[in-house]
Amino acid sequence: MATVSDFVIQRIQEWGVSRVFAFPGDGIGEFDGALGKADRAGEGLKYVRPTHEEICSLMATAHAKFTGEVGVCIATSSPGAFHMLNGLYDAKMDNQPVVAIVGQQGLNALGTFTQQENNLERTFEDVAVYVQTIVSPQQAQAVIDTAFRTARVRLGPAVVVIPHDVQGMEMPELAPANWVSRSSAVAPSISIVPPQSEIVKAAAIINAGSKVTFIVGHGANGATDEVLKAAELAGAGLITALRGKQVVPSEVPYHSQQLGLLGSLPSLHQMSGCDTLVLLGTNYPYSQFLPESGQARAIQVDLKPEQMGLRYPTELNLWGDVKATLAALIPHLEQKTDLSWQTTVSDEMIEWENEMEAQAMLSFKDGVNPRRVYHELNKRLPEKAIVTADAGTTADWYGHHIRLRRGMMGDLSGRLATMLAAMPYAVAAKFAYSDRPVICTIGDGAFQMLGMNELITIKKYMKEWDNPQLIIMVLHNDDLGQVSWEMRTEDGNPLWPGSQDVESVDYAGWAELVGFKGIRVRSDDEVEAAWDAAFAHQGVTLIDAYTSTNVPPLPPHITREFAKNTVEALLKGDPHGVDVIRDSAKALVTEGIERVKGTLHIGQDRTETDG
């Protein structure tokens, strides 16, 4: 007898899913039993069980991000379901297709205040693009298919709730009947192309511009060749959103990396000087860094129409897939002969990279320069490497120093920017691409949340990976660093140790306890050897980098408000005030010297060319 659970498992596989991230419990027990039966028969899904349901949903989201497939997570009723919310909001806010299957108490218990019974549909109503409880076997097919279709088309998480007794009910063959939908496990195409008339309008706008800039997001993933060809024809400078870093290879000289607080000065200059702005698969949230209203004609291409025209007054919004839309647009673009705009971006990027290296080479009294840790990692990234970063200063250093070459991948929790995501992202990446080297970069605060637990998950599953190399680098500064700086720069408040201190732990020792290689880095001159040793080790390595807490994550342009608030915070008695002043001054002096040197160098080159 095939049950509803048996059917759902088979249907999930028909949707192309081979791996689920799950945590068991009695509310999903009948379904878990069916998973076990299918596994013993050699017909099951690969069942990955991390240490917490939040990790399950973050792994499912990361799987969707790295593969383009639908990620699937499974948990029990109320407590397990509630734990998954954070990862599902990560999927929602970064537009990723995820299906969550959660258990529920039996049908007769609904609304009776029994143990672990809550209104899960109401709970998931905000986060889910589709949420539905299966209340009969005849309904199961349509609900599962609708969940997968909706997640794929609307680019967000769908939630299917299955009461415990329904999980074990006999699944009949569906016949024509009133109120019974017979659906299909066929994914709809999302290769949407706007009407030809809109394509022609977009081409005319781009062709008319002399200083064109593309901002490229993760929504352009898979469209690298089309983005580069369009930029070549348009003479455009390229900026990538933080999650779009892997779309445009760092080898492209007029790719000025990111924009904003963790971006580059050339990107900021592009925004202040461009006359045409093209947003490709991005809902870049920091509108204060975009051009002045009326300065640039703007176009946006995206599969999320409700998110278009929000950050800047666009002239044309194209509802479409970036790859397919650019393929239709490219034949209408005229080849620019004046490439001075691209040349300016390229020249400024040389200066900026010199500045980033100079910042990385600074030494600080209270620990290793975290910039140097990332700088040396970037120099050693192997082919097809995958890099994850966490929320906080790791995102700053990832943006400033990591350069993903063609074929490399990198990601993090974007719009939600939740802490601890770097670890489940890295492990999910390793499951998806077990032959690739994966590097997780994470702060000690995030690592203490749930990241330390995931070393246990890695130990459990690493024998299944073709290449066991996984490197975790922990920035160990005993401080919630990003929040400390935000308290100073945004609110003018001094660091408050009661909220900001992180208890020091021997992270390398914990890795060694689990059976992995641990490396401690306590000085700048140990950084290079640590990375060399980690990449030479064919296994799991944790680098415990004892870094300075006072290295300022300097934006490319320091506003008056930024400076004013920082001074106010220090005057109010910041416990690290003296070190912050000294280290910030050192960074600012280096920044100024490098920019002057770069300006002189660029000016000399242009004089020689003109002569």
Side-chain angles (χ1 to χ4, degrees), residues 24 66 148 220 272 282 284 332 466 504:
F66 284 122
F148 274 90
S272 64
T282 180
Y284 179 76
H332 300 276
D466 295 330
S504 188

Side-chain angles (χ1 to χ4, degrees), residues 390-391 419-421 442-452 480:
D390 215 82
M419 290 177 67
L420 78 82
I442 190 167
D444 50 3
F447 195 59
Q448 285 190 13
M449 279 184 162
L450 288 172
M452 295 177 72
L480 297 176

Side-chain angles (χ1 to χ4, degrees), residues 48-361:
V48 177
R49 199 211 75 192
T51 60
H52 195 280
E53 292 93 348
E54 183 177 354
I55 301 295
C56 292
S57 55
L58 285 167
M59 282 183 167
T61 300
H63 179 85
K65 288 180 175 181
F66 284 122
T67 67
E69 302 170 356
V70 177
V72 176
C73 50
I74 303 170
T76 189
S77 52
S78 296
F82 298 157
H83 282 159
M84 289 206 300
L85 277 169
N86 194 49
L88 295 181
Y89 270 104
D90 190 35
K92 175 185 178 177
M93 297 180 74
D94 281 349
N95 306 317
Q96 296 303 307
V98 169
V99 171
I101 297 174
V102 298
Q104 176 62 290
Q105 302 308 300
L107 288 172
N108 292 336
L110 299 184
T112 66
F113 310 105
T114 194
Q115 186 181 32
Q116 293 192 346
E117 183 272 322
N118 283 283
N119 190 329
L120 295 180
E121 287 192 12
R122 185 179 300 169
T123 298
F124 288 108
E125 186 177 12
D126 180 65
V127 71
V129 293
Y130 174 81
V131 55
Q132 185 62 54
T133 300
I134 297 176
V135 298
S136 75
Q138 289 80 1
Q139 185 198 14
Q141 184 184 87
V143 170
I144 290 294
D145 290 343
T146 304
F148 274 90
R149 256 194 302 273
T150 308
R152 169 66 70 186
V153 173
R154 295 183 59 190
L155 298 175
V159 179
V160 176
V161 182
I162 314 180
H164 190 276
D165 49 355
V166 175
Q167 295 167 26
M169 290 180 181
E170 184 176 355
M171 184 68 190
E173 288 289 334
L174 297 185
N178 191 26
W179 299 333
V180 176
S181 294
R182 289 166 292 150
S183 58
S184 64
V186 177
S189 171
I190 55 174
S191 185
I192 301 170
V193 181
Q196 182 70 10
S197 59
E198 299 293 282
I199 295 290
V200 171
K201 287 180 185 177
I205 293 171
I206 296 172
N207 290 336
S210 60
K211 298 179 179 179
V212 182
T213 287
F214 293 176
I215 300 183
V216 183
H218 192 271
N221 213 26
T224 296
D225 290 339
E226 289 77 9
V227 169
L228 296 183
K229 182 60 177 178
E232 177 191 338
L233 292 169
L238 291 165
I239 297 171
T240 46
L242 195 59
R243 293 200 54 244
K245 205 174 179 73
Q246 67 186 25
V247 179
V248 179
S250 61
E251 305 95 295
V252 177
Y254 43 87
H255 172 202
S256 58
Q257 297 291 319
Q258 284 70 68
L259 174 68
L261 294 175
L262 39 67
S264 71
L265 193 62
S267 290
L268 197 64
H269 288 168
Q270 283 198 69
M271 288 297 94
S272 64
C274 71
D275 60 19
T276 308
L277 179 64
V278 182
L279 300 158
L280 298 172
T282 180
N283 182 26
Y284 179 76
Y286 304 107
S287 59
Q288 68 268 35
F289 297 106
L290 296 179
E292 296 289 335
S293 295
Q295 170 193 318
R297 303 178 72 183
I299 301 168
Q300 188 165 355
V301 182
D302 212 291
L303 281 171
K304 300 284 284 187
E306 69 275 18
Q307 295 182 9
M308 292 196 287
L310 277 177
R311 311 300 181 199
Y312 189 80
T314 48
E315 181 176 337
L316 186 64
N317 291 320
L318 300 179
W319 184 8
D321 168 67
V322 172
K323 182 180 179 72
T325 301
L326 286 180
L329 178 67
I330 285 169
H332 300 276
L333 294 179
E334 299 169 358
Q335 177 65 66
K336 290 283 198 308
T337 55
D338 181 359
L339 300 181
S340 58
W341 176 245
Q342 283 185 340
T343 301
T344 298
V345 176
S346 301
D347 289 345
E348 289 189 359
M349 271 307 289
I350 294 172
E351 176 189 350
W352 179 256
E353 297 291 35
N354 289 337
E355 181 176 318
M356 288 299 94
E357 182 172 14
Q359 293 281 350
M361 292 300 108

Side-chain angles (χ1 to χ4, degrees), residues 23 37 70 72 150 187 200 366 377 437 460 506 528:
F23 204 94
K37 181 177 67 175
V70 177
V72 176
T150 308
V200 171
D366 65 327
L377 164 61
K460 180 179 180 180
D506 181 4
E528 294 186 51

